[in-house]
Amino acid sequence: MPSKDRPLVDRHAPKNGVGWLVNAQQGKVCSFTNANPTAHAQWVIVETRPLRGGGQPVVRRMLRHNAIEAWETMQKSGGWKRCPPRW
């Protein structure tokens, strides 16, 4: 199968719990990173920042299952696509 016909689903799959999404329309990039787990929950750090310029990042801490839901919702809502690490 030619490479142009391969699905892009796994092209930038998250590795070790780290994943990146970019939205060119909004000019934003978003990273999902595993945080130190506690005895009761697993946490993910979600950081959204401007694609260009030196704006302030928005950093949130979410439970893992909520972060997975946010990741899937952002991709389905349109505009957000997986990308290689930016920063």
Side-chain angles (χ1 to χ4, degrees), residues 3-17:
S3 62
K4 68 178 180 116
D5 295 331
R6 290 186 188 149
L8 298 177
V9 174
D10 293 323
R11 184 173 174 191
H12 303 294
K15 293 186 176 46
N16 297 327

Side-chain angles (χ1 to χ4, degrees), residues 60-80:
R60 292 171 288 182
R61 194 169 94 150
M62 304 173 85
L63 289 171
R64 185 175 188 275
H65 68 276
N66 291 339
I68 291 170
E69 186 177 326
W71 173 274
E72 293 171 352
T73 302
M74 288 170 76
Q75 287 186 353
K76 290 178 185 176
S77 67
W80 290 97

Side-chain angles (χ1 to χ4, degrees), residues 5-86:
D5 295 331
R6 290 186 188 149
L8 298 177
V9 174
D10 293 323
R11 184 173 174 191
H12 303 294
K15 293 186 176 46
N16 297 327
V18 177
W20 292 79
L21 295 174
V22 66
N23 188 323
Q25 295 170 344
Q26 294 181 9
K28 294 183 179 181
V29 65
C30 187
S31 69
F32 290 75
T33 310
N34 281 334
N36 295 333
T38 63
H40 302 289
Q42 291 183 343
W43 294 94
V44 175
I45 304 295
V46 180
E47 184 175 342
T48 306
R49 61 175 58 230
L51 193 56
R52 298 189 193 343
Q56 291 289 341
V58 176
V59 180
R60 292 171 288 182
R61 194 169 94 150
M62 304 173 85
L63 289 171
R64 185 175 188 275
H65 68 276
N66 291 339
I68 291 170
E69 186 177 326
W71 173 274
E72 293 171 352
T73 302
M74 288 170 76
Q75 287 186 353
K76 290 178 185 176
S77 67
W80 290 97
K81 296 183 183 341
R82 290 182 183 180
C83 69
R86 296 283 179 160

